[in-house]
Amino acid sequence: MMEPTVTMPPERVRRAPARRPEPPRETVRFPVLAVVFVCAACGLVYELELVALASYLIGDSVTQASVVLSVMVFAMGVGSLLAKRLRCHAAVGFGLVEAGLALVGGCSAMVLYAAFAWLGESRYVLVAFSLAIGVLIGAEIPLLMSLIQRDGRPGRTGRKAPVGEEDDAAGTVADLFAADYVGALVGGLAFPFLLLPWLGQLTGALVTGAVNAVAGGGLVLWVFRRDLTARSRALLVAVNVSVLAVLATATVLVDDFEQAARRAVYGERVRVAVHTELQEVVVTGGREGPPDLFLDGRLRVAGQDEYRYHEALVHPAMNGAHADVLIVGGGDGMAAREALRYPGVRSLTVVELDPGVVRLARTDPALAALNAQAFRDRRVRVVHADAFHWLRGAADRVQERYDVVVSDLPDPGITPSTKLYSEEFYGLVAQVLTPSGRFAVHAGSVADRPRTYWTVDATLRAAGFATRPYSASGRTPGFSAGPDRADRTSGTDRGPGDWGFLLALPGSRPPALGLAPDAPRLRSLGEDTLRAAARRAERGRGAAAPPPSTLVHPRYGG
């Protein structure tokens, strides 16, 4: 008996709810990579801005670069870990991270400069900004990975991805990092060649922040708008508009801010303030008194007492033949003024890196009066070059031989001039000296920085010189000291500061410390003064000499 065939009604197919069409994968990938490129460029600009400004404000560029880079790289790792907590809200998280990075990075230069101008200390501010910027940069790539791999792709459900998707994820990572590295290259080149010359440090950082905010906010609000709720979209719009408003306002007020900060640093009597290609040059003082010259915020020439420094630097070296004189540095013209007081000087060559300093010393009435119009003397030749490279060429030219060489440079521990205090540089000087030539070196404070001073002495000896240490004391009260002069904070009278010098002669016999028979009348220096200065300096000599400083192993600390 056959069973009747029962025909079952077809089972109703359960349809999935309709979903909004998502943009094609490649359509998403391209704008993401473009924004990664822009954000990487902005991030490196922030990094270089902190390094450059810290070197200018604090000094010792090697130390400041090491602090910024190491702290920032560490913070990037912390940011990558913290980004895990935002993966569920990757779109709004990335938008807020970029807005925060734009605000913090864009305002970092102004805040750092303000701390230096009004608080007198910016080291802790530097570390704080390095941490904050590093954390925000470190969170960028993980959040973008979560966004670009969404919608059932790896990282969304936690399942093991098929082989094809794993390969695609690896390609995505490679693309992101490639865009990141290329953006860093562009940002690194744009900073010194475009932003600094055209916009300066403060405006350059603010404009970079605005670009960062537009790129990051635009990506989230346009490409990943489907991942945002109405509330989060309104939040991101409000935050980005606020950040751009702050950056725009700061850009409009940046000139007024810079003038106020400059008055806080230099006082109310700023006469001239110019940015050369290498540094900021400021001249202060009024018509009733001599001017003060600041280079990158550091006092280089105090008009009321600079003669003490320059007389002690130049005149002991002139005790002997002095027909041909070479001055390394000395763009202010004060050392040249002292050497030109000797009628026996036939030629004087000044090797100064920054043409802007020489131009100001020649044209500014107050500075030109202070240096006695030294650069208008027909015996003076000015060479604008790096002294190290220039001396390498001069050593091969027989006509470049000098009876006296004077090194009028800032302290090696706080400026990029460390190589001009190296054994290699002193070896080049020895090649351009005549057999009886003398070499005078400004070596920093004997009392406050003895390690630096005696390292210069050891370096000269290693280069084949015999040395005679001496110092000059007596800074006019009331003058703030730059880091390359003995520190004397306001309200704490530590007595007069000092400048340390070394008179050097090739060979093993130390030079005699005295004045030439034809020396002009000096205001602060005499035979007795020099002997006392030598005894005072020798009392600071340690039992063991420090090792010499070389190009590959600099020994000068911050």
Side-chain angles (χ1 to χ4, degrees):
M1 183 176 179
M2 296 182 62
E3 296 283 340
T5 302
V6 179
T7 303
M8 301 295 293
E11 184 178 356
R12 180 174 296 178
V13 179
R14 190 174 296 175
R15 294 183 178 180
R19 297 179 58 189
R20 292 181 179 180
E22 296 290 340
R25 187 86 177 262
E26 292 303 321
T27 305
V28 173
R29 186 187 297 262
F30 178 77
V32 167
L33 295 180
V35 169
V36 169
F37 172 87
V38 172
C39 292
C42 294
L44 197 64
V45 168
Y46 301 144
E47 187 176 313
L48 296 175
E49 187 73 45
L50 288 178
V51 171
L53 198 57
S55 300
Y56 158 51
L57 300 178
I58 304 173
D60 194 353
S61 56
V62 173
T63 299
Q64 307 317 320
S66 301
V67 169
V68 171
L69 296 178
S70 58
V71 170
M72 191 168 287
V73 171
F74 163 76
M76 288 169 65
V78 174
S80 296
L81 293 176
L82 294 178
K84 290 181 177 180
R85 300 177 178 271
L86 297 175
R87 289 182 63 186
C88 296
H89 307 283
V92 67
F94 181 78
L96 293 176
V97 163
E98 290 306 310
L101 182 59
L103 180 63
V104 174
C107 296
S108 59
M110 288 188 72
V111 176
L112 194 62
Y113 193 29
F116 169 77
W118 282 283
L119 302 180
E121 178 58 64
S122 51
R123 296 179 189 271
Y124 299 111
V125 179
L126 173 68
V127 173
F129 272 107
S130 300
L131 278 171
I133 293 174
V135 167
L136 294 169
I137 291 176
E140 290 176 327
I141 297 297
L143 292 175
L144 280 175
M145 278 298 300
S146 297
L147 284 172
I148 205 171
Q149 295 288 349
R150 73 196 192 286
D151 301 329
R153 297 182 177 96
R156 175 70 181 266
T157 63
R159 63 180 174 83
K160 180 176 176 61
V163 174
E165 290 189 2
E166 286 182 348
D167 293 341
D168 192 54
T172 299
V173 172
D175 290 343
L176 287 176
F177 279 105
D180 186 73
Y181 295 148
V182 175
L185 170 67
V186 173
L189 295 176
F191 177 72
F193 297 115
L194 296 178
L195 292 178
L196 275 185
W198 290 3
L199 301 177
Q201 291 178 319
L202 303 186
T203 306
L206 293 168
V207 170
T208 303
V211 172
N212 199 161
V214 170
L219 178 71
V220 175
L221 293 171
W222 172 44
V223 176
F224 298 109
R225 59 188 179 275
R226 295 178 179 83
D227 293 13
L228 300 173
T229 64
R231 183 176 180 180
S232 60
R233 188 180 300 112
L235 174 64
L236 283 179
V237 170
V239 168
N240 278 277
V241 169
S242 300
V243 168
L244 290 173
V246 170
L247 295 175
T249 303
T251 303
V252 171
L253 299 177
V254 71
D255 290 336
D256 294 334
F257 166 82
E258 191 171 354
Q259 292 177 10
R262 187 178 291 123
R263 287 194 297 269
V265 174
Y266 304 113
E268 295 292 334
R269 303 195 306 170
V270 175
R271 295 181 57 255
V272 180
V274 296
H275 286 276
T276 70
E277 295 182 357
L278 300 173
Q279 58 195 338
E280 181 185 56
V281 184
V282 175
V283 180
T284 66
R287 294 182 178 180
E288 66 280 3
D292 296 336
L293 175 67
F294 294 82
L295 302 181
D296 273 350
R298 296 176 178 86
L299 181 62
R300 296 296 186 229
V301 175
Q304 290 190 7
D305 72 341
E306 56 79 21
Y307 65 91
R308 298 177 182 273
Y309 168 88
H310 291 103
E311 286 184 355
L313 173 65
V314 174
H315 291 283
M318 304 294 283
N319 185 16
H322 47 251
D324 299 299
V325 179
L326 169 65
I327 298 176
V328 178
D332 51 62
M334 309 303 168
R337 175 200 65 199
E338 296 299 323
L340 292 172
R341 296 174 70 183
Y342 291 81
V345 172
R346 182 176 57 203
S347 69
L348 189 148
T349 302
V350 177
V351 181
E352 167 61 47
L353 183 61
D354 192 350
V357 176
V358 176
R359 188 182 311 114
L360 191 62
R362 178 183 286 132
T363 59
D364 181 77
L367 280 180
L370 193 60
N371 64 36
Q373 304 286 349
F375 290 117
R376 298 184 183 275
D377 194 295
R378 59 180 179 80
R379 294 172 290 175
V380 175
R381 175 177 65 131
V382 179
V383 178
H384 297 301
D386 178 273
F388 195 99
H389 297 297
W390 184 83
L391 274 178
R392 291 184 68 176
D396 298 329
R397 296 191 293 269
V398 178
Q399 68 272 21
E400 299 286 356
R401 294 296 180 266
Y402 299 94
D403 301 304
V404 177
V405 176
V406 176
S407 177
D408 185 14
L409 298 167
D411 281 9
I414 56 125
T415 69
S417 64
T418 304
K419 68 178 181 181
L420 304 184
Y421 285 86
S422 66
E423 183 179 339
E424 292 86 347
F425 179 74
Y426 293 152
L428 293 175
V429 172
Q431 295 181 46
V432 300
L433 276 173
T434 60
S436 60
R438 292 161 308 287
F439 182 26
V441 180
H442 164 235
S445 171
V446 183
D448 286 3
R449 298 177 181 87
R451 180 179 175 275
T452 295
Y453 179 84
W454 293 110
T455 298
V456 177
D457 178 75
T459 306
L460 280 166
R461 291 175 178 271
F465 287 94
T467 61
R468 181 75 70 182
Y470 66 105
S471 65
S473 62
R475 184 172 58 253
T476 303
F479 283 89
S480 59
D484 59 335
R485 307 181 76 192
D487 185 24
R488 188 180 179 187
T489 57
S490 58
T492 304
D493 192 352
R494 297 178 50 195
D498 77 295
W499 298 278
F501 306 98
L502 290 158
L503 183 62
L505 190 68
S508 58
R509 185 177 180 180
L513 193 61
L515 298 176
D518 60 340
R521 185 175 180 180
L522 306 178
R523 290 189 281 175
S524 65
L525 206 62
E527 297 287 352
D528 295 338
T529 307
L530 275 176
R531 285 191 289 268
R535 290 193 298 268
R536 186 167 55 247
E538 283 289 354
R539 284 196 294 267
R541 187 188 294 271
S549 181
T550 66
L551 288 178
V552 296
H553 197 164
R555 303 281 184 173
Y556 305 106

